[in-house]
Amino acid sequence: MTDRDHTAERLLRSSAAHSYDPAVEIDWDAPLVPGKYFVPPHRSSLYGTPIWERLSPEQRIELTRHEAASIAGLGVWFETILMQLLIRDYFRQDPTAPHAQYALTEIGDECRHSVMFGRMIASLGTPVYRPSGFDHWLGSWIAHTGTGPRMFAAILIAEEILDTLQREAMTCEDVQPLVRMVSRIHVVEEARHVRYARAELARQIRTAGRGRLTFDRLVIGRAAWLTGMRLIDPRVYRAVGIAPEVGRRAARTNPYHRETLQWAAERVVTYLQDLDLITGPGATLWRASGLLPR
Ligand SMILES: [Fe+2]
Ligand SMILES: [Fe+2]
């Protein structure tokens, strides 16, 4: 058996022991708790800004409700791309191989996650925030053509950033129990996905040619840019009477929000730097994404 299959066997055992059905585990009929935030308040994109100071306590909570929906919306969007990438890859694989079976198991996890995030967004009663226009076109291009390093690096960026945010949210007393429970389930299952994507990425880089890697670094940089710019969709600010462009600018210059982005991205940035993936023309996009330390 290959290393790849040994890793897959471990992940399959962990999947069998620790998988959750959100339809059963979460009390979807429980009402939201008054006075609780939807993301930890200090992680709101406007926390600490003059706009934040002017908002009433209810408006601050309302803003975080839309921010949580934006993060979940981006999560579903990335998960839908990942499921397509994995199923296309699986189509070429031997169905008796553990690594092929693990890919299919991960698709099963992501199916449940996307239903869970969708139900959470419905419970929050917000619009569905997700990439549109050119970003959506690029996502669908990646979903249809992505293979090798660019496929796993793009996925890893989204998974690790979401994971860091959710690890904090799941333990935060100020946060709605619904969001904490959704975060907890996601964190447990994503730990396997992160291990799988990290191992696959390192393996595929070893076999990728130079030209291939140059192109992939650019695509990876674009995925990082999208994640940094669209984690909080500017349309969320409308919920508290702020024009999207005004809110977006305040968030981009907010030192607390910049710190949040860098903190959330720190682990994946270190990993991708070690693999020499944050260089070349893609590095400019990385710098603009707000995810790199200054
Ligand atoms: Fe997921
Ligand atoms: Fe995942």
Side-chain angles (χ1 to χ4, degrees), residues 189-200:
E189 302 195 336
E190 284 301 312
R192 296 192 288 268
H193 302 183
V194 167
R195 254 179 290 159
Y196 181 65
R198 281 183 168 226
E200 279 299 303

Side-chain angles (χ1 to χ4, degrees), residues 142-161:
I142 285 244
H144 286 95
T145 62
T147 54
R150 68 170 174 269
M151 153 174 169
F152 279 103
I155 289 307
L156 205 50
I157 293 167
E159 287 190 326
E160 295 218 38
I161 288 177

Side-chain angles (χ1 to χ4, degrees), residues 164-178:
T164 306
L165 292 167
Q166 289 179 331
R167 274 173 198 272
E168 184 185 54
M170 75 186 196
T171 59
C172 182
E173 300 276 337
D174 297 332
V175 171
Q176 290 285 342
L178 172 65

Side-chain angles (χ1 to χ4, degrees), residues 8 19 21 89 94 107 184 187 207 213 223 244 267:
S19 288
D21 181 353
D89 198 45
D94 169 1
I107 295 170
R184 190 166 292 126
V187 161
T207 56
L213 278 177
R267 265 185 312 152

Side-chain angles (χ1 to χ4, degrees), residues 206-259:
R206 285 195 291 274
T207 56
R210 278 223 343 245
R212 160 89 207 221
L213 278 177
T214 303
F215 179 64
D216 279 19
R217 284 189 189 101
L218 184 62
V219 177
I220 294 163
R222 186 57 175 74
W225 184 84
L226 172 96
T227 308
M229 300 302 279
R230 277 292 173 275
L231 190 65
I232 303 303
D233 190 309
R235 290 170 292 186
V236 302
Y237 303 115
R238 284 196 190 121
V240 289
I242 297 164
E245 189 45 37
V246 172
R248 191 191 68 84
R249 232 176 300 125
R252 293 309 289 178
T253 52
N254 177 9
Y256 292 101
H257 182 56
R258 291 196 345 210
E259 198 276 325

